Amino acid sequence: MGRLRNLLIPGVDKSLLLKDAVKTMPDLTRRRFISGGASLGALTLLTGCDVTDSFSAEEMLKQVSKFNDGVQAWMFNPDAMAPTFPESAITKPFPFNAYYSLDEAPEIEAKDWKLEVRGLVENKKSWTLEELYKLPQVKQVTRHICVEGWSAIGSWTGTPLRDFLKIVGADTRAKYVWFQCADKDGYNSPLDMRSALHAQTQMTFKFGDEILPRAYGFPMKIRVPTKLGFKNPKYVLSMEVTNDYKGGFWEDQGYNSFSGS
Amino acid sequence: MSSIAASDEQASTKAAAKATRAKVIQPAWVRALHWTNAFAMVLMIMSGWQIYNASPLFGFTFSSSITLGGWLGGGLLWHFAAMWLLMVNGLIYLALGLATGRFRKKLLPITREGVLADTKAALTGKLSHEDLTKYNYVQKLLYAGIIVVGIVIVLSGLAIWKPVQLQYLTAMFGGYEAARYVHFFCMAAIVAFMVVHVVLALLVPKSLRAMIVGR
């Protein structure tokens, strides 16, 4: 830190200089940099240790989060169903939630869209929406819980993901199903195989008995009532069955990767 | 002759040791667990405020100068790391408190008359702090109460964290949304306790000393 201070030009406001430097960074880096800095600041206040020590605190937090992934996988009971609710309990209006405004939500033309299926599957053919709509569907009224803390009850209808994985001949011994989406900046998220095979995990085509509207992820979202909201990708373009941990939009920024509920 | 002197000496050492032991107000395990708990609690509360700010239950948020984590993701990392320290430490405390009989000896019985009399004495400035090994009735009530709040805040936290896997626990709190409020009010109770606790410890410095060096 001392060396860094000496490098600064006398008479130049340090905080302004820092602001300019931060502005030149790409968006994601900036977000992580700011978050890191702020938590470091708080830790320094608390323990009086210097900044180099606190970088290892961030490393420690990451390790604990990985440990928590393991604990949650251990706690996960494939037979435990998320509580279901009567239709009268549905939250109206159901909130639109994303890291962008509704105007910026992907606008997908049904006829141009195909679901790409990749990785450890026997049949890698892409699926049109028309083909997917022919698969048997089930409805669930469950609680969507956001990582922010709020929750809302919604009605989702679609094909259980495990049925689809069977149809495409997926290797269900693989570790993850990784989804890529059309959201701006490219949303993606990994889903551990045991959660993917849970009876209530669904390829969702309808919300409240109507074709899934743009706000909730048209043409297809993945509804996982045993996970926090950000693990329920919308505007899905492709799914890949894989043994590799490919990271995710929020997971890479520090949200716990398992995030089971 | 020499053997008598030796046994005399032994006896007096024993007596001295006993006297020293008697003077210990807070045993080492209580002190270690107390400060670990204090540290974990501060981390949990400050990171909890950060998480609260992402979706406030009430019409206010906590200033970023008193939250931990910098953003929601950072707050969550801290909260779900410090929870292990808080839970493991708390479980050891409960186990030892029950096993050694400390809870029974120090915190019980709590009588209505005792609490009323001691509250009155405290408010009129007549409550004695001569013997720190014995808690007065107000202390007994508050210390026993905060242990219960500590248990409820951990259980409501688990209910929010795992509303599917631990759905019976969540249902016990009246559902996910209700559990969030329970969790918040337990935090508020702990913060209020901490304020009073710290102020009183500073007003009776020898009690603070006892929690640091034991006597």
Side-chain angles (χ1 to χ4, degrees), chain A residues 29-147:
Chain A
T29 330
R30 193 159 76 211
R31 199 198 304 248
R32 298 181 73 177
F33 185 82
I34 294 167
S35 69
S39 63
L40 294 184
L43 185 79
T44 313
L45 262 178
L46 216 64
T47 60
C49 61
D50 74 31
V51 178
T52 43
D53 282 354
S54 335
F55 275 110
S56 61
E58 207 156 84
E59 194 47 47
M60 180 273 291
L61 291 177
K62 270 189 212 158
Q63 291 303 323
V64 177
S65 192
K66 268 191 197 161
F67 171 74
N68 287 340
D69 285 339
V71 172
Q72 294 176 89
W74 171 79
M75 285 180 83
F76 177 78
N77 173 3
D79 299 323
M81 294 296 126
T84 54
F85 299 87
E87 306 247 339
S88 59
I90 294 170
T91 307
K92 285 173 187 163
F94 192 85
F96 164 81
N97 189 261
Y99 52 93
Y100 44 77
S101 70
L102 184 51
D103 295 341
E104 297 172 292
E107 261 181 295
I108 293 173
E109 284 289 331
K111 60 175 172 35
D112 301 335
W113 181 86
K114 270 187 174 182
L115 174 69
E116 206 185 306
V117 182
R118 294 196 308 264
L120 305 169
V121 293
E122 278 163 19
N123 190 347
K124 292 192 171 78
K125 106 177 191 70
S126 294
W127 291 66
T128 64
L129 200 51
E130 209 180 322
E131 289 168 324
L132 289 170
Y133 281 168
K134 285 182 188 147
L135 300 173
Q137 298 189 356
V138 286
K139 178 155 79 174
Q140 62 169 275
V141 179
T142 49
R143 185 185 293 278
H144 169 107
I145 296 173
C146 182
V147 66

Side-chain angles (χ1 to χ4, degrees), chain A residues 35 68 72 81 149 151 260, chain B residues 71 80 84 162 165 167 176-177:
Chain A
S35 69
N68 287 340
Q72 294 176 89
M81 294 296 126
S151 78
Chain B
W71 71 296
F80 289 112
W84 292 113
K162 290 281 163 270
Q165 304 306 330
Q167 53 189 279
Y176 173 82
E177 288 293 338

Side-chain angles (χ1 to χ4, degrees), chain B residues 65-130:
Chain B
S65 60
I66 51 167
T67 61
L68 179 61
W71 71 296
L72 173 60
L76 288 164
L77 286 176
W78 276 107
H79 209 66
F80 289 112
M83 74 170 183
W84 292 113
L85 187 62
L86 185 86
M87 283 200 295
V88 171
N89 190 71
L91 284 174
I92 296 172
Y93 176 70
L94 290 180
L96 287 178
L98 292 171
T100 61
R102 180 182 166 90
F103 289 161
R104 188 172 35 82
K105 277 183 278 185
K106 290 269 195 180
L107 302 179
L108 296 178
I110 301 171
T111 64
R112 205 167 64 99
E113 296 72 29
V115 172
L116 288 175
D118 281 353
T119 306
K120 201 176 150 200
L123 293 176
T124 50
K126 283 177 197 148
L127 197 58
S128 163
H129 293 291
E130 264 322 300

Side-chain angles (χ1 to χ4, degrees), chain B residues 1 6 33 35 41-42 57 60 67 82 89 100 108 134 149-150 166 172 177 180 191 202 210:
Chain B
M1 185 59 189
L33 295 171
W35 291 110
M41 268 297 180
V42 169
L57 291 173
F60 65 89
T67 61
N89 190 71
T100 61
L108 296 178
K134 284 207 174 74
V149 174
L166 303 177
M172 210 179 79
E177 288 293 338
R180 288 182 74 200
V191 171
L202 294 176

Side-chain angles (χ1 to χ4, degrees), chain A residues 9 68 82 119 131 151 157 163-164 200 208 220 224 237 240 259:
Chain A
I9 308 143
N68 287 340
E131 289 168 324
S151 78
T157 304
D163 293 353
F164 185 76
Q200 288 171 310
M220 184 179 97
V224 194
L237 295 175
E240 179 174 342
S259 283

